[in-house]
Amino acid sequence: GNFNSDDLSVVYEELSKAKRKKFGIYATPRDLCFHVVQNQIKNAAEKNLKNLAFVDPCCGSGSFLDQAVKAVERELFPLG
C-alpha cells in the first residue's frame, strides 16, 4: 500500500511519554509541518518550482517531506 507519514505519527503517539523522552523521539505537529512547508513552497513558486529541492535532515516520520510533495503537487496541479 501507500505510505502515509501519519502512519508513523500514530506509532509515535502510542509510545509512552517516558519512552519518547528516553529515546529522544519528538514529532512536529502536522499543522505546523503544513504551514512551514506551504510558506516555503509559496516563496519558491514565485521563483521557479523546476529547480526545487527538499531536505529533511531529521526525517523522523517524513511529515515535512510528505507535506512538501503534496504542496508542490497542489501548486503544479491546482484543482480549480
Side-chain angles (χ1 to χ4, degrees), residues 36-47 49 71 75:
V36 168
V37 168
Q38 196 61 36
N39 184 51
Q40 293 303 310
I41 293 295
K42 183 179 176 184
N43 291 337
E46 293 171 2
K47 296 175 184 167
L49 284 174
E75 202 61 45

Side-chain angles (χ1 to χ4, degrees), residues 19-70:
K19 283 186 181 178
R20 290 192 307 254
K21 185 176 180 179
K22 177 181 177 183
F23 294 108
I25 300 170
Y26 301 95
T28 306
R30 194 174 332 156
D31 290 342
L32 180 58
C33 290
F34 173 82
H35 289 292
V36 168
V37 168
Q38 196 61 36
N39 184 51
Q40 293 303 310
I41 293 295
K42 183 179 176 184
N43 291 337
E46 293 171 2
K47 296 175 184 167
N48 185 355
L49 284 174
K50 187 176 175 181
N51 297 317
L52 192 62
F54 301 101
V55 67
D56 184 359
C58 297
C59 199
S61 66
S63 294
F64 278 103
L65 296 176
D66 182 48
Q67 288 297 324
V69 170
K70 289 175 182 174

